[in-house]
Amino acid sequence: ETADQLALALRDEVIDLERAGIGIIQVDEPAIRELLPLRDVGRDEYLRWAVGAFRLATSGVKPETQIHTHISYSAQHLVVDAIEELDADVTALVATRSIDWVLDALTGDVSEGAGLTHGVGPGVYESRSARIPDIDELDELLSRAVATIAPDRLWANPDGGLKTRHYWQLEPSLRNLVAAARRVRRRAQAAAEGA
């Protein structure tokens, strides 16, 4: 009941943002992993209400308004189905500590009809770090991701928020991310044209 009441308050905010002309709205941290029961008992019911509350908060917008979400450290294959049921247009998944879990969970998702079918953004660099990732490193991570996630569904994004960094730290990191994404996009397009 509490989750649904909070979802209704968020729904009003999401609808107000859409009315103000916002075309992409991000609703962070749905309660998919935080309180998930460690044992199977109660897990399905927990995920049912967590997904239901998120959808209640986000389903009041028009189809052309994109809903994005961001999920931290949900490195569990068992929540992939729940993430899919959120029905967000794009799900950013914290993955830089281990992008492998995201890619493993999504392997064969198109051919097997499982996994995430909407946009996916496995975080490819730790945005809370002062370290500036180089283009080749980002290219390698995005290339691994595009081998699992269809290029038209892959979003290149940092891992988490940017608020802990100064602009002079963010700008080169984001420029390198854009350059790496362009490289990967060109290769994917060339491969598609050659097929």
Side-chain angles (χ1 to χ4, degrees):
E1 187 177 330
T2 302
D4 286 349
Q5 290 303 308
L6 182 58
L8 289 169
L10 286 171
R11 182 185 183 99
D12 288 344
E13 183 70 20
V14 168
I15 290 169
D16 286 347
L17 289 169
E18 181 185 60
R19 284 186 187 139
I22 306 298
I24 298 175
I25 301 168
Q26 183 165 320
V27 179
D28 278 352
E29 304 297 338
I32 295 297
R33 183 70 182 105
E34 288 75 11
L35 300 174
L36 186 71
L38 296 175
R39 294 189 173 89
D40 288 341
V41 176
R43 192 177 285 160
D44 289 342
E45 176 60 16
Y46 170 83
L47 291 173
R48 183 198 62 73
W49 73 255
V51 167
F54 181 85
R55 291 185 70 154
L56 180 59
T58 60
S59 63
V61 297
K62 297 173 187 160
E64 57 270 15
T65 299
Q66 281 192 358
I67 296 294
H68 289 228
T69 192
H70 175 268
I71 299 180
S72 293
Y73 303 107
S74 295
Q76 301 286 330
H77 291 274
L78 53 94
V79 299
V80 171
D81 290 340
I83 293 169
E84 176 68 9
E85 289 175 25
L86 294 174
D87 199 30
D89 295 297
V90 178
T91 301
L93 299 165
V94 171
T96 52
R97 291 188 185 170
S98 177
I99 197 171
D100 295 322
W101 86 264
V102 175
L103 303 182
D104 290 347
L106 301 177
T107 297
D109 65 349
V110 174
S111 62
E112 297 172 16
L116 303 180
T117 60
H118 300 297
V120 181
V124 291
Y125 83 89
E126 177 56 72
S127 60
R128 289 170 293 270
S129 168
R131 187 180 78 79
I132 297 169
D134 93 0
I135 296 170
D136 292 333
E137 171 190 350
L138 296 168
D139 184 330
E140 190 270 330
L141 288 168
L142 287 170
S143 295
R144 286 177 55 200
V146 87
T148 301
I149 304 164
D152 61 327
R153 292 190 309 112
L154 178 64
W155 285 67
N157 55 267
D159 209 5
L162 305 175
K163 64 183 177 238
T164 62
R165 296 292 104 210
H166 298 287
Y167 186 78
W168 59 267
Q169 294 169 313
L170 292 175
E171 186 177 9
S173 297
L174 293 174
R175 284 186 189 281
N176 288 352
L177 180 59
V178 169
R182 286 182 176 153
R183 275 189 196 172
V184 171
R185 190 177 299 126
R186 280 193 302 269
R187 284 196 306 270
Q189 185 174 1
E193 290 170 358

